[in-house]
Amino acid sequence: MLARHLVRRLAQAVVVVLGVVVVSFLVARAVPGDAAVSATGARASASELAAARERLGLDQPLPVQLFRYLGDLVRGDLGTSLHTRQPVASDLGSALPASLELVGAAMLLAVLLGIPLGILAARFRGGRAGGVDVSVRVGSVLAVSAPVFLLALVLQLVFATRLGWFPTAGEYDRALDTTSPLSVWTDITVVDALITGNGAMLASVLHHLVLPALALAAYPTGVIAQMTRAALLEEAAQDHARMERALGFGRLAVLVRFSLRAASAPVLQLVALVFAYALVNSFLVESIFNWPGLGSYTATAISSVDTPAIAGVTLTVALVYVVLNLAVDLAQTALDPRVRLT
Amino acid sequence: MSIHPSPVTSAAPAAPVPPASRVPGAGSLASRLGRLVGRDRLAAASAVVLVVIVLLAVLAPWVAPFPGDGTTATHPADRLLAPGAAHWFGTDQVGRDVLSRVLYGARTSLGIAVAVLAISAVVGVTLGVVAGFAGGWLRDVIMRVTDVFLAFPALLLSLALAAILRPSVETTIIAIAATWWPWYARLSASVAQSVRTRPYVDAARCLGVSPARIVWRHVLPNSLTPVLVQLSLDAGGVILTAASLSYLGLGATEPTSEWGLMVQSGQSLFTTHWWVSAFPGLAILVTAFCFNMLGEGLRDLLDPRAAGGRS
């Protein structure tokens, strides 16, 4: 039973990944004008163009091109960026760690804020303290309705430009590159600073992380709070909750000690999903804070119509999403035997 | 379980809605809306604000103080005036009245939302009903295709599609609709599938009623309520996505009044002339908020099972 479930999930994931590859192939081939012209420059002669066309495989039928693209992908070749003139794969490799750092920080904030808020709202639903529930509800809908770029601009204006509490832009103080340079292990600056005990660098990165992570955390926090509340209330309506109340457990204890575990499955799945959304939303935040991640890279790629780079980003983020979803699904299967039956 | 990309729906488990999910004795739509006002003040207030926004959008050419500023007019002498009596929301870099542009922007945003949702609902419900009702390999093919589309965060796929096409309002609509229909397909497939096994459908089939008629008489009416709830929940998400696309330079282009584009164009001036970006940004926030609040209210009212027990 379990093996069959695993095989089925993996097969589904493979189909999805193939679809994702086709879409990114179409994007990569949709170079404005002519890819051969972009590759050789506007002043190339006709024979140079023909050579480039042959080299790029543009003279082949589309299915053959797709097959070649697939082969390139397997070898880790995502093509060459029209803007940076570097292989897209290495561009992405240097941009992704900073994005994961930012999105990771935002998701951590969102989980630490969203789950307790959801518990509070569920605990104080209706009744005399119903104001808590209403506040969480209004707050979370506000958080999911706010355009993330507006939040980023306002946070930057108020807390960086006006109050000067936080730096306006960048990932860390560049002066530290000379005074306390970081030895690179994982490429994720905050992790490297932590494991190498580079206190100055760690403090600087965390300081720079606060505002962009807050802007990015709003949406996930709202969604997680709402989902936690809804899942808890569904659990609280079950017979076991009444039993636990009858045994003398308080309302909050029933929610936290018993219902939260059962409610954790949908919340966990949501966290994985929202992670991918936050990664895309970071496209809207990073350029405002000049964060050297995937978002800034994508923004540049868009403005310079760098289709191979856009295709690479699409593929990478979609893969992150598929892998996360699969991981959560498998984790749930391991934790909750009921899932296997469906 | 599927989770929706639009902000608020993501919070609600998209439980397959029971067919005939009508509340016993729920009465007419009007009386249900009456109860919405009584029970959910926030949703009712949001509905009122939305009516005002829609009216302002429709009447923009008449209510905007400087209708010409909605598009091509420029007034170099009035550049970057702070909000005041003549220009309530101030003026932008080329002297256009920000209030007028925000009003015209409502036309753009609401127009995009209506177009995207109409396309998504028609395409999605059609495919979903076919998949859920026909079953078999047809169902598998349609559902696998929706899986592929759902593997992209909406903004990401829209972004990729918009990058292929030339930036414009039409591009925005196509790009977002292409990412949005699978949710409707999934929703109506689950409704169709559960309706298919109902005794009254069996009875109809035994009586020789054609499949098309069964779909029309039984499947579609049962899909209506969940789709309606979904539409109101999604409108806010579509408006946010559209604004994000044009903010990134993949949507509407100058001189169209579009909120995301306006925020973007005023961004570099934000520290000194905040009003150029702030008012269009707030317009996005208020509109998305009202749609999300109303959508939640409608969901709780019309679709109690998915409400997560909100009182």
Side-chain angles (χ1 to χ4, degrees):
Chain A
M1 204 70 203
L2 182 59
R4 242 182 69 188
H5 178 77
L6 289 184
V7 169
R8 223 184 64 198
R9 275 302 282 128
L10 280 173
Q12 276 177 9
V14 168
V15 172
V16 170
V17 168
L18 283 178
V20 167
V21 167
V22 170
V23 171
S24 78
F25 164 73
L26 291 176
V27 175
R29 282 297 170 273
V31 179
D34 191 331
V37 176
S38 320
T40 51
R43 271 182 230 152
S45 68
S47 61
E48 277 175 318
L49 272 180
R53 205 160 275 144
E54 205 180 318
R55 181 162 46 82
L56 295 169
L58 296 173
D59 51 347
Q60 304 284 327
L62 215 56
V64 176
Q65 289 190 39
L66 174 63
F67 203 68
R68 279 197 180 183
Y69 181 75
L70 206 60
D72 288 346
L73 286 187
V74 173
R75 275 178 275 118
D77 179 4
L78 292 172
T80 307
S81 159
L82 304 177
H83 178 69
T84 64
R85 302 273 162 197
Q86 298 286 316
V88 171
S90 76
D91 277 355
L92 291 178
S94 53
L96 195 59
S99 278
L100 290 179
E101 176 179 72
L102 176 57
V103 176
M107 289 307 294
L108 194 66
L109 270 177
V111 168
L112 291 180
L113 288 171
I115 291 181
L117 283 174
I119 295 173
L120 270 182
R123 163 64 186 84
F124 292 109
R125 181 167 74 102
R128 270 180 299 134
V132 177
D133 189 20
V134 174
S135 312
V136 172
R137 181 180 169 206
V138 172
S140 57
V141 176
L142 264 181
V144 299
S145 308
V148 63
F149 44 86
L150 180 72
L151 273 180
L153 284 172
V154 170
L155 286 174
Q156 190 184 43
L157 177 67
V158 174
F159 295 103
T161 313
R162 289 281 151 83
L163 294 172
W165 292 356
F166 298 99
T168 37
E171 191 187 9
Y172 56 88
D173 190 356
R174 286 285 158 188
L176 290 173
D177 277 337
T178 45
T179 53
S180 50
L182 189 67
S183 43
V184 173
W185 291 69
T186 61
D187 269 334
I188 300 176
T189 316
V190 71
V191 176
D192 285 341
L194 200 64
I195 55 181
T196 56
N198 191 335
M201 183 63 89
L202 185 63
S204 181
V205 175
L206 290 178
H207 200 204
H208 281 75
L209 257 176
V210 173
L211 293 182
L214 269 179
L216 205 51
Y219 177 89
T221 306
V223 174
I224 290 172
Q226 287 179 331
M227 178 59 116
T228 306
R229 176 188 180 282
L232 279 179
L233 288 180
E234 195 163 305
E235 270 313 304
Q238 307 277 326
D239 287 340
H240 72 78
R242 199 175 313 145
M243 177 72 180
E244 288 140 18
R245 287 281 291 145
L247 286 171
F249 289 101
R251 280 177 196 277
L252 193 62
V254 170
L255 285 177
V256 175
R257 292 179 61 167
F258 301 104
S259 301
L260 193 59
R261 202 196 133 157
S264 67
V267 175
L268 187 69
Q269 193 172 21
L270 183 75
V271 169
L273 188 141
V274 176
F275 189 94
Y277 278 90
L279 197 53
V280 183
N281 267 343
S282 77
F283 296 2
L284 302 163
V285 171
E286 285 186 2
S287 46
I288 292 175
F289 287 100
N290 203 9
W291 194 264
L294 213 52
S296 297
Y297 181 70
T298 312
T300 319
I302 289 171
S303 61
S304 56
V305 204
D306 186 354
T307 43
I310 297 173
V313 170
T314 310
L315 189 68
T316 311
V317 177
L319 283 183
V320 167
Y321 176 77
V322 171
V323 169
L324 271 177
N325 247 341
L326 193 64
V328 168
D329 201 77
L330 297 184
Q332 272 175 6
T333 315
L335 291 174
D336 185 351
R338 284 173 307 179
V339 176
R340 286 169 217 165
L341 298 174
T342 56
Chain B
M1 191 186 69
S2 72
I3 299 171
H4 200 269
S6 92
V8 176
T9 334
S10 330
V17 183
S21 67
R22 302 204 169 126
V23 187
S28 68
L29 189 69
S31 77
R32 284 198 233 171
L33 288 180
R35 281 198 326 208
L36 177 68
V37 176
R39 250 180 37 183
D40 194 338
R41 298 273 153 97
L42 278 166
S46 301
V48 172
V49 176
L50 281 177
V51 168
V52 173
I53 292 174
V54 169
L55 280 178
L56 286 175
V58 172
L59 300 175
W62 295 277
V63 296
F66 301 91
D69 292 6
T71 50
T72 50
T74 54
H75 314 281
D78 300 333
R79 290 179 66 241
L80 297 171
L81 296 177
H87 301 282
W88 291 1
F89 289 2
T91 61
D92 68 6
Q93 302 94 306
V94 292
R96 292 177 299 200
D97 181 52
V98 174
L99 173 59
S100 302
R101 287 184 68 72
V102 167
L103 291 175
Y104 272 90
R107 289 166 89 92
T108 316
S109 287
L110 294 177
I112 291 174
V114 168
V116 166
L117 293 176
I119 298 172
S120 309
V122 169
V123 174
V125 170
T126 307
L127 285 175
V129 165
V130 168
F133 199 73
W137 64 270
L138 197 55
R139 176 180 188 280
D140 286 343
V141 170
I142 294 177
M143 293 329 275
R144 285 299 84 78
V145 172
T146 61
D147 280 348
V148 170
F149 277 88
L150 295 178
F152 292 91
L155 181 57
L156 180 73
L157 185 54
S158 312
L159 191 150
L161 292 175
I164 303 178
L165 306 163
R166 212 163 2 156
S168 69
V169 172
E170 291 76 24
T171 300
T172 311
I173 293 171
I174 295 168
I176 302 177
T179 65
W180 228 275
W181 66 266
W183 299 101
Y184 290 89
R186 210 178 239 197
L187 184 67
S188 52
S190 78
V191 175
Q193 215 177 354
S194 65
V195 171
R196 193 163 81 119
T197 55
R198 294 274 143 168
Y200 58 81
V201 172
D202 279 343
R205 204 179 285 128
C206 290
L207 288 170
V209 179
S210 71
R213 201 170 154 72
I214 292 176
V215 166
W216 184 253
R217 290 276 302 160
H218 298 294
V219 180
L220 282 182
N222 276 302
S223 313
L224 199 64
T225 303
V227 167
L228 215 69
V229 169
Q230 198 60 51
L231 284 174
S232 58
L233 280 167
D234 280 353
V238 170
I239 285 175
L240 270 179
T241 308
S244 303
L245 279 182
S246 53
Y247 174 84
L248 285 169
L250 293 170
T253 48
E254 282 284 346
T256 311
S257 299
E258 206 282 339
W259 294 335
L261 181 68
M262 290 165 74
V263 174
Q264 203 280 328
S265 73
Q267 181 178 321
S268 55
L269 304 163
F270 196 61
T271 47
T272 47
H273 307 86
W274 54 271
W275 56 88
V276 183
S277 286
F279 287 112
L282 280 177
I284 304 170
L285 172 61
V286 170
T287 312
F289 178 83
C290 289
F291 271 119
N292 286 335
M293 267 296 167
L294 177 66
E296 278 201 1
L298 286 178
R299 181 190 61 204
D300 296 357
L301 195 71
L302 302 176
D303 193 4
R305 255 192 48 154
R310 192 184 305 281
S311 64

